[in-house]
Coordinates of all heavy atoms in Angstrom, one line a residue:
L237 N -20.0 11.5 -20.1 CA -18.9 11.8 -19.3 C -18.2 13.0 -19.9 O -17.8 13.0 -21.0 CB -18.0 10.7 -19.1 CG -16.7 11.0 -18.3 CD1 -17.0 11.3 -16.9 CD2 -15.7 9.8 -18.4
S238 N -18.1 14.1 -19.1 CA -17.3 15.3 -19.4 C -16.1 15.3 -18.5 O -16.1 14.9 -17.4 CB -18.1 16.6 -19.2 OG -19.2 16.6 -20.1
V239 N -15.0 15.8 -19.1 CA -13.7 15.8 -18.4 C -13.1 17.2 -18.4 O -13.1 17.9 -19.4 CB -12.7 14.8 -19.1 CG1 -11.4 14.8 -18.3 CG2 -13.3 13.4 -19.2
A240 N -12.6 17.6 -17.2 CA -11.8 18.8 -17.1 C -10.4 18.3 -16.8 O -10.0 18.0 -15.7 CB -12.4 19.7 -15.9
P241 N -9.5 18.3 -17.8 CA -8.2 17.6 -17.7 C -7.2 18.5 -17.0 O -6.0 18.1 -16.8 CB -7.8 17.3 -19.1 CG -8.5 18.3 -19.9 CD -9.8 18.7 -19.2
G242 N -7.5 19.8 -16.7 CA -6.6 20.7 -16.1 C -7.2 21.7 -15.2 O -7.1 22.9 -15.3
I243 N -8.0 21.1 -14.2 CA -8.8 22.0 -13.4 C -8.0 22.4 -12.1 O -7.2 21.6 -11.6 CB -10.1 21.3 -12.9 CG1 -11.1 22.3 -12.4 CG2 -9.9 20.1 -12.0 CD1 -12.5 21.9 -12.5
G244 N -8.1 23.6 -11.7 CA -7.4 24.1 -10.5 C -7.8 25.5 -10.2 O -8.9 25.9 -10.3
Y245 N -6.8 26.3 -9.7 CA -7.0 27.7 -9.4 C -5.7 28.4 -9.4 O -4.6 27.8 -9.4 CB -7.7 27.8 -8.0 CG -7.0 27.1 -6.9 CD1 -6.1 27.7 -6.0 CD2 -7.3 25.7 -6.7 CE1 -5.5 27.0 -5.0 CE2 -6.7 25.0 -5.6 CZ -5.8 25.7 -4.8 OH -5.1 25.0 -3.8
T246 N -5.7 29.7 -9.4 CA -4.5 30.5 -9.4 C -3.8 30.4 -8.1 O -4.4 30.1 -7.0 CB -4.8 32.0 -9.7 OG1 -5.8 32.4 -8.7 CG2 -5.4 32.2 -11.1
T247 N -2.5 30.6 -8.1 CA -1.7 30.4 -6.9 C -2.0 29.2 -6.1 O -2.5 29.3 -4.9 CB -1.7 31.7 -6.0 OG1 -3.1 31.9 -5.5 CG2 -1.3 32.9 -6.7
P248 N -1.8 28.0 -6.7 CA -2.3 26.8 -6.0 C -1.5 26.5 -4.7 O -0.3 26.8 -4.6 CB -2.0 25.7 -7.1 CG -0.9 26.3 -8.0 CD -1.2 27.8 -8.0
N249 N -2.2 25.9 -3.8 CA -1.7 25.5 -2.5 C -1.5 24.0 -2.5 O -2.5 23.3 -2.8 CB -2.6 25.9 -1.4 CG -2.0 25.7 0.0 OD1 -1.7 24.6 0.4 ND2 -1.8 26.8 0.7
Q250 N -0.3 23.5 -2.1 CA -0.1 22.1 -2.2 C -0.2 21.3 -0.9 O 0.2 20.2 -0.8 CB 1.3 21.9 -2.8 CG 1.5 22.3 -4.2 CD 2.9 22.2 -4.7 OE1 3.6 21.2 -4.4 NE2 3.3 23.1 -5.6
S251 N -0.9 22.0 0.1 CA -1.3 21.3 1.3 C -2.6 20.5 1.1 O -3.5 21.1 0.6 CB -1.5 22.3 2.4 OG -2.3 21.8 3.5
H252 N -2.6 19.3 1.5 CA -3.8 18.5 1.4 C -5.0 19.2 2.1 O -6.1 19.4 1.5 CB -3.7 17.1 2.1 CG -2.9 16.2 1.3 ND1 -3.3 15.6 0.2 CD2 -1.6 15.6 1.6 CE1 -2.4 14.7 -0.3 NE2 -1.3 14.8 0.6
F253 N -4.7 19.7 3.3 CA -5.7 20.3 4.1 C -6.3 21.5 3.5 O -7.5 21.7 3.3 CB -5.2 20.5 5.5 CG -6.3 20.9 6.5 CD1 -7.0 19.9 7.1 CD2 -6.7 22.2 6.6 CE1 -8.0 20.2 8.0 CE2 -7.7 22.5 7.4 CZ -8.4 21.5 8.1
T254 N -5.4 22.4 3.1 CA -5.8 23.8 2.6 C -6.4 23.7 1.3 O -7.5 24.3 1.0 CB -4.6 24.7 2.6 OG1 -4.1 24.8 3.9 CG2 -5.1 26.1 2.2
S255 N -5.8 22.9 0.3 CA -6.4 22.8 -1.0 C -7.7 22.2 -1.0 O -8.7 22.6 -1.6 CB -5.4 22.1 -1.9 OG -5.9 22.2 -3.3
R256 N -7.9 21.1 -0.2 CA -9.2 20.4 -0.1 C -10.2 21.4 0.5 O -11.3 21.4 0.0 CB -9.0 19.2 0.8 CG -10.4 18.5 1.0 CD -10.2 17.2 1.8 NE -11.5 16.7 2.2 CZ -11.7 15.6 3.0 NH1 -10.7 14.9 3.3 NH2 -12.9 15.3 3.3
H257 N -9.8 22.1 1.5 CA -10.7 23.1 2.1 C -11.2 24.1 1.0 O -12.4 24.4 1.0 CB -10.0 23.9 3.2 CG -10.8 25.0 3.8 ND1 -11.7 24.8 4.8 CD2 -10.7 26.3 3.6 CE1 -12.3 25.9 5.1 NE2 -11.7 26.9 4.4
F258 N -10.3 24.6 0.2 CA -10.8 25.5 -0.9 C -11.9 24.9 -1.7 O -12.9 25.5 -2.1 CB -9.6 25.9 -1.8 CG -8.6 26.8 -1.1 CD1 -7.3 27.0 -1.7 CD2 -8.8 27.4 0.2 CE1 -6.4 27.8 -1.0 CE2 -7.9 28.2 0.8 CZ -6.7 28.4 0.2
Y259 N -11.6 23.6 -2.1 CA -12.7 22.9 -3.0 C -13.9 22.7 -2.2 O -15.0 22.8 -2.8 CB -12.1 21.6 -3.5 CG -11.3 21.7 -4.7 CD1 -9.9 22.0 -4.7 CD2 -11.9 21.5 -6.0 CE1 -9.2 22.0 -5.8 CE2 -11.1 21.6 -7.1 CZ -9.8 21.8 -7.1 OH -9.0 21.9 -8.2
E260 N -13.8 22.4 -0.9 CA -15.1 22.2 -0.1 C -15.9 23.4 0.1 O -17.1 23.3 0.2 CB -14.6 21.5 1.2 CG -14.2 20.1 1.1 CD -13.5 19.6 2.4 OE1 -13.0 20.4 3.2 OE2 -13.4 18.3 2.5
V261 N -15.2 24.6 0.3 CA -16.0 25.8 0.6 C -16.3 26.6 -0.7 O -17.1 27.6 -0.7 CB -15.3 26.7 1.6 CG1 -15.1 25.9 2.9 CG2 -14.0 27.2 1.1
G262 N -15.6 26.2 -1.8 CA -15.9 26.9 -3.1 C -15.2 28.3 -3.1 O -15.7 29.2 -3.8
A263 N -14.1 28.5 -2.4 CA -13.4 29.7 -2.4 C -12.0 29.5 -1.9 O -11.7 28.6 -1.1 CB -14.1 30.7 -1.5
T264 N -11.0 30.3 -2.4 CA -9.7 30.2 -1.9 C -9.5 31.1 -0.6 O -8.8 32.1 -0.6 CB -8.7 30.7 -2.9 OG1 -9.0 32.0 -3.4 CG2 -8.7 29.7 -4.1
S265 N -10.3 30.7 0.4 CA -10.3 31.4 1.7 C -10.1 30.5 2.8 O -10.7 29.4 2.9 CB -11.7 32.1 1.8 OG -12.0 32.5 3.1
V266 N -9.3 30.9 3.8 CA -9.1 30.1 5.0 C -10.1 30.4 6.1 O -10.2 29.7 7.1 CB -7.7 30.2 5.5 CG1 -6.7 29.8 4.5 CG2 -7.5 31.7 6.0
R267 N -11.0 31.4 5.9 CA -11.9 31.8 6.9 C -13.3 31.2 6.8 O -14.1 31.3 7.7 CB -12.0 33.3 6.9 CG -10.7 34.0 7.2 CD -10.8 35.5 7.2 NE -9.5 36.2 7.4 CZ -9.0 36.4 8.6 NH1 -9.7 36.1 9.7 NH2 -7.9 37.0 8.8
T268 N -13.6 30.7 5.6 CA -15.0 30.2 5.4 C -15.3 28.9 6.1 O -14.5 28.0 6.2 CB -15.2 30.0 3.9 OG1 -14.8 31.1 3.2 CG2 -16.6 29.7 3.6
R269 N -16.4 28.9 6.8 CA -16.8 27.7 7.7 C -18.0 26.9 7.1 O -18.3 25.9 7.8 CB -17.1 28.3 9.1 CG -15.9 28.9 9.8 CD -14.9 27.8 10.2 NE -13.8 28.4 10.9 CZ -12.7 28.9 10.3 NH1 -12.6 28.8 9.0 NH2 -11.7 29.4 11.0
T270 N -18.6 27.3 6.1 CA -19.7 26.5 5.5 C -19.2 26.0 4.1 O -18.5 26.7 3.4 CB -20.9 27.4 5.3 OG1 -20.6 28.6 4.6 CG2 -21.5 27.8 6.7
G271 N -19.7 24.8 3.7 CA -19.4 24.3 2.5 C -20.2 24.9 1.3 O -21.2 25.5 1.6
W272 N -19.7 24.8 0.1 CA -20.4 25.4 -1.0 C -21.8 24.8 -1.2 O -22.7 25.5 -1.5 CB -19.5 25.4 -2.3 CG -19.4 24.1 -3.0 CD1 -18.7 23.0 -2.6 CD2 -20.0 23.7 -4.2 NE1 -18.8 22.0 -3.5 CE2 -19.6 22.3 -4.5 CE3 -20.9 24.3 -5.1 CZ2 -20.0 21.7 -5.6 CZ3 -21.3 23.6 -6.2 CH2 -20.9 22.3 -6.5
L273 N -21.9 23.5 -1.0 CA -23.2 22.8 -1.1 C -24.1 23.1 0.1 O -25.3 23.2 0.0 CB -23.0 21.3 -1.3 CG -22.4 20.9 -2.6 CD1 -22.2 19.4 -2.6 CD2 -23.2 21.3 -3.8
G274 N -23.4 23.4 1.3 CA -24.1 23.8 2.5 C -24.8 25.1 2.3 O -25.9 25.4 2.7
R275 N -24.1 26.1 1.6 CA -24.6 27.4 1.4 C -25.8 27.3 0.4 O -26.7 28.1 0.4 CB -23.5 28.4 0.9 CG -22.5 28.6 2.0 CD -21.7 29.9 1.8 NE -20.9 29.8 0.5 CZ -19.7 29.1 0.4 NH1 -19.2 28.5 1.4 NH2 -19.1 29.1 -0.8
Y276 N -25.6 26.4 -0.6 CA -26.8 26.2 -1.5 C -28.0 25.7 -0.7 O -29.1 26.3 -1.0 CB -26.4 25.2 -2.6 CG -27.5 24.5 -3.3 CD1 -28.2 25.2 -4.2 CD2 -27.9 23.2 -3.0 CE1 -29.3 24.7 -4.9 CE2 -29.0 22.6 -3.6 CZ -29.7 23.4 -4.6 OH -30.8 22.8 -5.2
L277 N -27.8 24.8 0.2 CA -29.0 24.4 1.0 C -29.5 25.5 1.9 O -30.7 25.5 2.2 CB -28.6 23.1 1.8 CG -28.3 21.9 1.0 CD1 -27.8 20.8 1.9 CD2 -29.6 21.4 0.2
D278 N -28.6 26.3 2.4 CA -29.1 27.4 3.3 C -30.0 28.3 2.5 O -30.9 28.9 3.1 CB -27.9 28.2 3.8 CG -27.2 27.5 5.0 OD1 -27.9 26.8 5.7 OD2 -26.0 27.7 5.2
R279 N -29.8 28.4 1.2 CA -30.7 29.3 0.4 C -31.9 28.6 -0.1 O -32.9 29.3 -0.3 CB -29.9 29.9 -0.7 CG -28.8 30.9 -0.3 CD -28.2 31.6 -1.5 NE -29.2 32.3 -2.3 CZ -29.6 33.6 -2.1 NH1 -29.0 34.2 -1.1 NH2 -30.5 34.2 -2.9
T280 N -31.8 27.3 -0.4 CA -32.9 26.7 -1.1 C -33.6 25.5 -0.3 O -34.6 25.0 -0.7 CB -32.4 26.1 -2.4 OG1 -31.4 25.1 -2.1 CG2 -31.8 27.2 -3.3
G281 N -33.0 25.1 0.9 CA -33.5 24.0 1.6 C -34.6 24.3 2.5 O -35.1 25.4 2.5
T282 N -35.1 23.3 3.2 CA -36.1 23.5 4.2 C -35.7 23.0 5.6 O -34.8 22.1 5.7 CB -37.4 22.6 3.8 OG1 -37.0 21.2 3.7 CG2 -37.9 23.1 2.4
P283 N -36.3 23.5 6.6 CA -35.8 23.2 8.0 C -36.2 21.9 8.5 O -35.8 21.5 9.7 CB -36.3 24.3 8.8 CG -37.6 24.8 8.1 CD -37.3 24.6 6.7

Side-chain angles (χ1 to χ4, degrees):
L237 174 66
S238 294
V239 182
I243 196 157
Y245 53 94
T246 54
T247 60
N249 188 297
Q250 294 178 35
S251 159
H252 286 290
F253 191 88
T254 302
S255 189
R256 176 178 169 180
H257 175 79
F258 290 167
Y259 275 86
E260 288 169 338
V261 302
T264 54
S265 164
V266 299
R267 299 180 182 276
T268 308
R269 294 289 181 269
T270 53
W272 74 284
L273 294 176
R275 295 196 300 277
Y276 161 74
L277 291 174
D278 279 333
R279 291 187 61 84
T280 64
T282 59

